[in-house]
Amino acid sequence: MDVNGGEMSKNPTLICAPIMADSIDKMVTLMAKAKASTADLVEIRLDSLKNFNPFEDLNVLIKQCPLPTLFTYRPVWEGGQYDGDEKKRLDVLRLAMELGADYIDVELKVAHEFIKSIGGKKPEKFQVIVSSHNYQSTPSVEELGNLVVKIQSTGADIVPIIGLVMGERGLISRILCTKFGGYLTFGTLEAGVVSAPGQPTINDLLNLYNFRQLGPDTKVYGIIGKPVGHSKSPMLYNEAFKSAGFNGVFVHLLVDDLEMFLRTYSSTDFAGFSCTIPHKETAVKCCDEVDPVAKSIGAVNCIIRRQSDGKLFGYNTDYIGAISAIEDGLQARYNMSSAAGSPLAGKLFVVIGAGGAGKALAYGAKQKGARVVIANRTYERAQELADVIGGDALSLDDLARFHPEDGMILANTTSIGMQPNIDQTPMPKDALKYYSLVFDAVYTPKITRLLREAEETGATIVSGLEMFVGQAYEQFERFTGLPVDEFISPRSFIVPPHSTEGAVPENYVKVLTTLTQRLICLQQIAVRLITTARKLFDEMPHKDSITWNAMLSSYSQLCLHTDALSLFHLMRYTNTKPDHFTFTSTLNACSGLGSFRNGTKVHALIIAFGYQCYLPVNNSIIDMYGKCLDPCSARKAFEETGESIRNEVTWCSLLFAYANSGQFNIAFETFYEMPKRVLVAWNIMITGFARNGEVEMCIQLLKEK
């Protein structure tokens, strides 16, 4: 099946857009939107209309619909809105058939009567769908089997190959139906505007879950938790799977009983799982084998099903992402070098929570030489974990009064402060003044109340997003066997921006600006001036984005790329909002270092803050990928730069990406595609050939020039 976007689908499952509106005009508008969304057909919910003239309105809907039509006139007794005469309702459905409808949905309760009434009158391509809806309970396997028999006995044209489950738990049935041969699934035009609970949007089906490319051999991965709908894991992994060309899909899995879930979904088609609250500790018992580190921690956040025999292997990647993020924050705060050893060594590290994430952070901090204290609502659980790792224990009630020293580290691993309970915090603000760094494993919202108040007291803050991304890197490699750096796309990290701005004394800005301008002009005294500028910068009581940019630009233009990146990371931890000047300087530093990993992270932040529409930023992105020897990503960034706004720098950056990676055939094509071949473009080509010993090509280009 060739879908509207031109991409060949790997499966025959149709996407049906439910059309619900109170007027015919609105329905016609929505049908056009469904066509634009690349839906395959529309379900027209007649019971949503306020005023309905059957003959006239059905004619309009059928003639003006650009897609095949499925008509539903759902009665109240089956979960719909129609509460009128039953004979009139069925007459309307028969009329729709006569006027050219492609499908009619009729309820099992009246299906025998309806199908008997249209015997011998059905158009050749017309089909009847017989449906049954159960909003009260989940039927047993035996009950489902009996239901299948009943529907088949009605003479329906399409019998139970449309099996969809309601609500959040049923989301996987709406996505994975394409893997298991489902006839159609429903996708809405807008989030929340649904004809049944749990329907995803068409946009999510196509772009988040890559629905058209799922098939019988697609491997299923998911995030197991309760709650789980807030998790951004599907965004991250599905984008990475798509970039890697890996045949997998990642879904939310709302699970009550982990052992029963793993026993039920025992097929090797369900190849791996991320594990979150509250199942990390239980997962240790459910796996056939557990990695020694995960066993030491007592928690598993990654489960892999071995394809040869279906055995489950458990790992823990939480501590890697969280501890690395905390160390980065401390190094930025104290301007420490990573070569000096872990900044956690000797620090008092307070962990809130004794669950799976708490165990991981306590283990990781202890491994780095920190002195660990566990605080938990239940003191006995805190003491149990403290005994295992060799630390101390507190009750959560006593934590606010616990301050044996200044400069402590605080890590919240509970769900306190997670959406929707964003006004909650595990610690009173006044107690946070004793901590130099505060980490919160919660990342929805990115800046929790705990982090906001910690920042106000002067602490460095680290968001749970850093932990989420860090642990995901290792899980991706375990899921796919592929190197993560090459495939995790910057778009996977889109998060809401956060900023705090303070007033900056005008005299500080003037002095700093004067110094940075002199740095650019007077290279011979650069080292002395940059040191002076940084000292002045560090003494400033408040810094806005202009101040940070002045310092960043100085480092970048003097090719002090490591210092520039270090300053950018420090800027992030202060939550000063970056702008396009910030990102241009930082990308230049990534380019200078050839740091692909840092470059992709900066690219992700650019998208998060909405600066990808700025031409200088886009040009810097292309240049960064070119210098990091990734011409494919450079080309993608080039294509995303509107043709009307591209300039010579855009073209030259792309040209350099191909020439720098030795792809001279494509470089030649790009060179001759350029609207204007400026001198820089000629130099890029000649230098590229010269570097690769292609003397004759250099001479040929020089002659052409």
Side-chain angles (χ1 to χ4, degrees):
M1 172 180 180
D2 188 7
V3 298
N4 294 342
E7 182 180 16
M8 191 63 68
S9 176
K10 288 185 179 179
N11 62 73
T13 305
L14 305 176
I15 296 178
C16 180
I19 304 296
M20 300 183 70
D22 57 13
S23 73
I24 297 298
D25 287 343
K26 290 179 182 177
M27 282 190 167
V28 170
T29 300
L30 291 174
M31 290 189 297
K33 288 184 178 180
K35 172 70 172 177
S37 74
T38 72
D40 300 301
L41 71 157
V42 294
E43 179 198 30
I44 300 173
R45 288 292 299 265
L46 297 174
D47 53 303
S48 67
L49 289 166
K50 285 186 177 178
N51 298 301
F52 181 40
N53 182 327
F55 185 83
E56 181 181 328
D57 292 341
L58 287 173
N59 258 310
V60 171
L61 291 170
I62 292 170
K63 288 179 179 177
Q64 294 197 28
C65 187
L67 293 170
T69 53
L70 161 61
F71 281 90
T72 300
Y73 206 3
R74 190 77 70 220
V76 171
W77 49 263
E78 189 83 356
Q81 301 179 47
Y82 180 79
D83 194 18
D85 181 76
E86 186 65 14
K87 182 179 180 303
K88 290 181 179 179
R89 184 178 77 88
L90 296 179
D91 285 343
V92 167
L93 292 176
R94 276 187 286 270
L95 179 60
M97 175 193 75
E98 293 166 4
L99 293 174
D102 298 283
Y103 304 88
I104 292 295
D105 180 314
V106 64
E107 299 74 26
L108 175 60
K109 182 177 177 180
V110 296
H112 280 283
E113 177 189 347
F114 181 82
I115 292 174
K116 185 179 179 180
S117 73
I118 62 172
K121 302 176 184 177
K122 286 199 313 179
E124 183 181 350
K125 294 184 179 180
F126 171 79
Q127 293 182 299
V128 175
I129 298 173
V130 174
S131 63
S132 176
H133 301 79
N134 184 341
Y135 295 94
Q136 287 73 44
S137 61
T138 301
S140 65
V141 174
E142 183 180 353
E143 289 169 332
L144 283 172
N146 292 335
L147 181 61
V148 169
V149 172
K150 287 180 182 179
I151 293 177
Q152 286 175 330
S153 70
T154 65
D157 298 303
I158 300 173
V159 292
I161 46 175
I162 306 173
L164 302 174
V165 184
M166 303 291 182
E168 184 181 357
R169 296 178 195 279
L171 177 62
I172 59 170
S173 70
R174 300 178 182 278
I175 299 164
L176 300 183
C177 61
T178 184
K179 172 179 170 63
F180 297 106
Y183 185 76
L184 66 76
T185 193
F186 291 91
T188 66
L189 298 175
E190 296 179 30
V193 183
V194 300
S195 60
Q199 290 174 345
T201 64
I202 294 175
N203 182 60
D204 279 352
L205 283 173
L206 296 177
N207 299 317
L208 174 56
Y209 298 109
N210 201 22
F211 186 84
R212 301 286 192 198
Q213 299 305 307
L214 307 184
D217 56 346
T218 298
K219 294 298 182 183
V220 181
Y221 301 84
I223 172 79
I224 296 173
K226 185 182 180 183
V228 76
H230 67 281
S231 173
K232 298 185 187 299
S233 293
M235 294 171 60
L236 177 69
Y237 288 106
N238 286 321
E239 177 68 21
F241 289 167
K242 192 186 303 184
S243 297
F246 180 77
N247 190 9
V249 63
F250 196 100
V251 295
H252 289 112
L253 298 167
L254 180 60
V255 172
D256 296 305
D257 185 325
L258 179 61
E259 185 177 359
M260 181 181 291
F261 170 84
L262 292 172
R263 191 167 57 246
T264 303
Y265 292 87
S266 58
S267 165
T268 53
D269 278 345
F270 292 84
F273 309 99
S274 301
C275 213
T276 189
I277 296 171
H279 300 305
K280 294 182 181 183
E281 293 166 278
T282 305
V284 177
K285 304 171 187 175
C286 294
C287 292
D288 297 295
E289 293 186 29
V290 178
D291 178 76
V293 172
K295 191 176 290 185
S296 298
I297 293 171
V300 160
N301 78 319
C302 178
I303 300 174
I304 303 297
R305 177 170 273 126
R306 190 160 64 188
Q307 294 299 293
S308 60
D309 57 12
K311 284 190 174 182
L312 299 174
F313 291 77
Y315 304 90
N316 194 299
T317 63
D318 274 340
Y319 79 101
I320 299 171
I323 295 300
S324 295
I326 291 169
E327 287 181 320
D328 288 346
L330 288 172
Q331 286 167 351
R333 180 182 180 92
Y334 297 113
N335 198 23
M336 299 171 64
S337 167
S338 57
S342 175
L344 286 173
K347 287 281 189 180
L348 192 58
F349 193 104
V350 179
V351 178
I352 301 177
K359 289 179 176 180
L361 264 80
Y363 173 88
K366 190 70 175 180
Q367 291 294 306
K368 295 292 185 177
R371 296 170 290 136
V372 179
V373 175
I374 311 297
N376 196 61
R377 281 189 178 131
T378 308
Y379 175 77
E380 289 73 21
R381 286 208 67 189
Q383 187 63 60
E384 183 182 332
L385 176 55
D387 289 343
V388 170
I389 62 142
D392 296 314
L394 285 172
S395 72
L396 191 56
D397 291 337
D398 293 333
L399 181 58
R401 297 182 294 277
F402 178 75
H403 43 83
E405 60 188 68
D406 292 336
M408 298 184 291
I409 312 298
L410 181 68
N412 173 43
T413 67
T414 72
S415 59
I416 298 172
M418 181 187 292
Q419 289 177 346
N421 304 310
I422 59 174
D423 292 328
Q424 295 180 1
T425 180
M427 280 278 281
K429 181 177 179 179
D430 186 59
L432 296 172
K433 62 188 176 185
Y434 302 106
Y435 295 89
S436 61
L437 182 144
V438 175
F439 165 84
D440 197 338
V442 173
Y443 65 87
T444 52
K446 180 186 175 185
I447 303 299
T448 60
R449 178 182 170 187
L450 173 65
L451 292 184
R452 186 177 67 252
E453 292 182 346
E455 185 181 34
E456 289 169 358
T457 64
T460 294
I461 62 172
V462 180
S463 164
L465 187 68
E466 309 287 343
M467 171 180 170
F468 167 66
V469 171
Q471 59 84 29
Y473 266 57
E474 185 171 337
Q475 286 198 32
F476 176 86
E477 292 184 345
R478 291 194 181 278
F479 287 157
T480 66
L482 299 171
V484 67
D485 281 345
E486 187 174 348
F487 297 116
I488 286 197
S489 165
R491 285 165 182 73
S492 303
F493 301 100
I494 298 176
V495 292
H498 170 76
S499 66
T500 53
E501 296 184 355
V504 182
E506 186 178 351
N507 60 316
Y508 275 112
V509 177
K510 287 182 178 178
V511 174
L512 185 62
T513 302
T514 301
L515 281 173
T516 53
Q517 288 174 345
R518 290 181 64 198
L519 284 170
I520 296 167
C521 300
L522 306 172
Q523 293 291 328
Q524 64 270 31
I525 56 171
V527 174
R528 179 171 60 83
L529 284 180
I530 197 72
T531 303
T532 304
R534 182 56 188 264
K535 184 178 180 181
L536 176 63
F537 175 86
D538 290 337
E539 290 173 355
M540 294 174 66
H542 300 289
K543 306 176 184 73
D544 65 2
S545 59
I546 297 173
T547 315
W548 287 95
N549 287 341
M551 200 71 234
L552 265 174
S553 177
S554 299
Y555 280 140
S556 182
Q557 293 188 52
L558 290 169
C559 298
L560 300 172
H561 302 307
T562 302
D563 293 311
L565 274 180
S566 176
L567 187 69
F568 175 71
H569 290 310
L570 178 61
M571 181 181 182
R572 286 183 61 199
Y573 285 114
T574 64
N575 285 289
T576 304
K577 184 176 180 180
D579 58 21
H580 55 290
F581 295 110
T582 314
F583 288 125
T584 302
S585 295
T586 308
L587 284 168
N588 183 53
C590 296
S591 300
L593 293 171
S595 177
F596 177 84
R597 186 163 187 160
N598 279 307
T600 55
K601 288 181 179 179
V602 174
H603 189 177
L605 288 169
I606 288 167
I607 296 169
F609 284 96
Y611 285 108
Q612 69 272 30
C613 57
Y614 285 81
L615 182 59
V617 175
N618 273 357
N619 289 344
S620 296
I621 291 170
I622 299 167
D623 180 64
M624 179 273 295
Y625 282 125
K627 289 176 180 173
C628 292
L629 302 176
D630 185 5
C632 291
S633 294
R635 184 77 197 192
K636 188 172 183 181
F638 175 84
E639 296 293 348
E640 290 171 353
T641 305
E643 187 174 350
S644 61
I645 65 169
R646 293 173 191 158
N647 61 11
E648 289 87 352
V649 177
T650 317
W651 280 96
C652 287
S653 297
L654 178 65
L655 184 64
F656 176 82
Y658 288 123
N660 192 43
S661 61
Q663 297 186 26
F664 291 112
N665 288 339
I666 306 177
F668 250 120
E669 291 175 8
T670 305
F671 181 66
Y672 288 108
E673 283 177 15
M674 293 180 68
K676 182 180 180 182
R677 288 189 285 280
V678 294
L679 179 61
V680 173
W682 288 92
N683 291 342
I684 289 171
M685 293 296 290
I686 293 168
T687 303
F689 281 122
R691 188 168 56 242
N692 283 270
E694 300 283 351
V695 179
E696 291 183 5
M697 293 304 302
C698 290
I699 295 171
Q700 179 182 326
L701 283 170
L702 284 168
K703 287 179 178 177
E704 285 187 37
K705 179 59 180 170

